[in-house]
Amino acid sequence: MLDCVIAGGRLVPDGRLISLLADGLAGGRLAALGPAPDCRDLLELLARVSDGRPGRGRDHPVAAVLALAAAAVVAGSRSFTAIAGWAADVPAGVLEDLYRRCGAARPGAGPPSKATIWRVVTGADAPALDAVTGSWLMDRASAAGNLACPGHGGDDEAPLIPVRVDGKTVRGARNPDGSQVHLLAALAGRPGVVAAQIEVGAKTNEIPMIIPLLDGVDLDRAVVTADALHCQRATADYVHGRGADFILPAKDNQPGLFDALDALPWHDVPVTHATTDRGHGRIETRTIQVTDAPGDLPFPHVSQAYLIERHVTALNGQPLSDIAALGVTSLDATRASPQAIADLVRGQWAIESLHWLRSPGVPQPVVRRCTGRPAESFCNTPPWVPCSLSLLFRRSPSRDRTPSATPVA
């Protein structure tokens, strides 16, 4: 079981792994992890989330219940019964300290029941919970100095912070109308922190949702990367208007831009950076050519264009594939070298790890359709961030609020 020390000031046994969630609930005072200056208390942020319960007569604050549920899920709980059982095993002194920090009227009321946990989690405001979770994770990463990528940015410029955007349909999760849940996420920083996520409704798509997604992300010194679907003029205008930069691939969805890039004299542009990787029974060589963008390029705010080629061979030298990718960036040559551009383009694939986490077969609390309420999340985290603070179930007003024992995964 995860040693989730909820109250501060308790020593951590040597050699034990304590999650970021535990440190956040302890106010950044766990001995094994050291202090966390300038980080907001996770409980204070969770207290801002509304859960729909009436204000009078509540023994269990929403922050305490959400914190216990999240810690239980991180510890491996996969059902509301398991979450309630995990909460019941929390030492009484630790639980009382947690409730007191949350401002409970009766700190010694004991652990919440399964029904209470179910009501709080299913009634919580999903966008608000996503927002406070992303904010807390970004605070933690910023305080630890894990956002900026070293070597990205000019000599006199602050290091650049990658913000990778991509969407994923969460298979096994359904909306009340039967449609699948599709989430668009922004993964920020070098280690990859889910800074924000937003649901893409069944009657829309990712393109118009990227702007409200990025509205909730601090884009100071940021470089937004995404797939070719988001190579849109409106997106480029928005990112530029926020004072950030972008690196976007160009494909057939922007035929004018693609043809203009393809017509550039690439045979006269030298290869300025190359890497060779050997593994998985193949040898992969990547090269990049970068040139100043022509003034008549049919896309706004572009400073440079690039051509990345990937050549894959078997270990015996037999060619397997050759792929070329064109793209544009608002970064000029003084702020991003060809190597930095290549690293940022390749770093876009880091968000695939988040998709892997959300795929079926991976142990995660993404629930299936259940009696009473369809599923949503608890999937606001990449694999290397042991903190998961999103919803287990989506609200469905057509159903009553009876707890369900349906497994979470």
Side-chain angles (χ1 to χ4, degrees):
M1 177 182 292
L2 175 68
D3 286 318
C4 184
V5 183
I6 300 176
R10 289 174 172 78
L11 296 179
V12 181
D14 292 338
R16 306 300 291 272
L17 295 178
I18 304 297
S19 71
L20 287 178
L21 175 61
D23 189 38
L25 295 178
R29 297 190 299 274
L30 292 185
L33 295 181
D38 300 326
C39 284
R40 287 173 290 177
D41 192 331
L42 178 58
L43 293 176
E44 293 179 3
L45 295 175
L46 291 178
R48 304 176 186 177
V49 179
S50 170
D51 64 353
R53 292 181 298 163
R56 298 182 60 185
R58 291 196 302 183
D59 288 333
H60 306 285
V62 59
V65 177
L66 289 177
L68 289 170
V73 169
V74 173
S77 300
R78 293 295 182 266
S79 70
F80 281 108
T81 300
I83 292 172
W86 189 95
D89 288 337
V90 174
V94 175
L95 193 66
E96 184 174 345
D97 196 358
L98 169 66
Y99 273 50
R100 184 176 291 107
R101 291 180 60 211
C102 293
R106 293 200 307 143
S113 67
K114 172 184 170 182
T116 298
I117 295 172
W118 191 90
R119 281 194 298 269
V120 172
V121 171
T122 58
D125 184 342
L129 186 52
D130 279 337
V132 300
T133 304
S135 175
W136 179 74
L137 290 173
M138 288 291 286
D139 280 352
R140 297 290 307 176
S142 178
N146 287 335
L147 288 179
C149 290
H152 294 171
D155 295 337
D156 299 328
E157 298 281 347
L160 301 174
I161 299 174
V163 176
R164 312 169 189 102
V165 176
D166 201 15
K168 172 68 175 179
T169 296
V170 186
R171 289 175 290 177
R174 300 280 179 177
N175 285 309
D177 60 1
S179 60
Q180 289 183 292
V181 176
H182 189 91
L183 299 177
L184 185 65
L187 197 69
R190 175 163 44 90
V193 171
V194 181
Q197 72 176 8
I198 192 171
E199 184 185 355
V200 179
K203 295 184 179 181
T204 184
N205 56 60
E206 292 183 14
I207 294 175
M209 299 306 296
I210 189 173
I211 292 177
L213 172 74
L214 294 178
D215 278 340
V217 180
D218 182 4
L219 295 184
D220 180 38
R221 297 184 289 128
V223 180
V224 176
T225 64
D227 57 29
L229 178 67
H230 295 288
C231 186
Q232 306 288 334
R233 293 169 179 81
T235 300
D237 286 335
Y238 172 83
V239 172
H240 180 77
R242 290 281 306 274
D245 291 284
F246 59 81
I247 297 179
L248 298 171
K251 292 187 177 180
D252 291 340
N253 63 318
Q254 291 287 342
L257 175 62
F258 180 84
D259 291 343
L261 294 176
D262 192 39
L264 294 176
W266 293 109
H267 57 278
D268 295 331
V269 179
V271 172
T272 47
H273 178 68
T275 60
T276 300
D277 298 319
R278 182 187 180 101
H280 304 286
R282 63 187 184 185
I283 301 173
E284 180 179 306
T285 300
R286 288 172 169 263
T287 64
I288 185 170
Q289 299 163 260
V290 182
T291 184
D292 292 336
D296 60 349
L297 200 66
F299 202 82
H301 316 299
V302 176
S303 296
Q304 297 185 95
Y306 64 83
L307 169 64
I308 293 177
E309 293 183 306
R310 188 183 70 169
H311 308 282
V312 181
T313 65
L315 297 180
N316 61 7
Q318 178 184 358
L320 297 179
S321 66
D322 295 288
I323 299 175
L326 294 165
V328 294
T329 177
S330 60
L331 293 164
D332 59 34
T334 64
R335 300 185 58 217
S337 65
Q339 178 180 352
I341 295 174
D343 290 345
L344 288 166
V345 171
R346 194 170 187 180
Q348 170 66 17
W349 289 99
I351 201 169
E352 294 301 321
S353 298
L354 176 65
H355 297 340
W356 175 85
L357 179 72
R358 288 171 172 170
S359 298
V362 179
Q364 58 167 329
V366 174
V367 297
R368 304 182 186 280
R369 178 184 290 275
C370 65
T371 303
R373 295 185 186 275
E376 186 176 318
S377 40
F378 250 154
C379 52
N380 184 13
T381 174
W384 54 88
V385 179
C387 178
S388 210
L389 290 176
S390 192
L391 294 182
L392 284 171
F393 291 82
R394 183 186 308 280
R395 292 190 294 175
S396 175
S398 61
R399 301 282 187 174
D400 59 18
R401 289 176 173 259
T402 56
S404 167
T406 303
V408 173

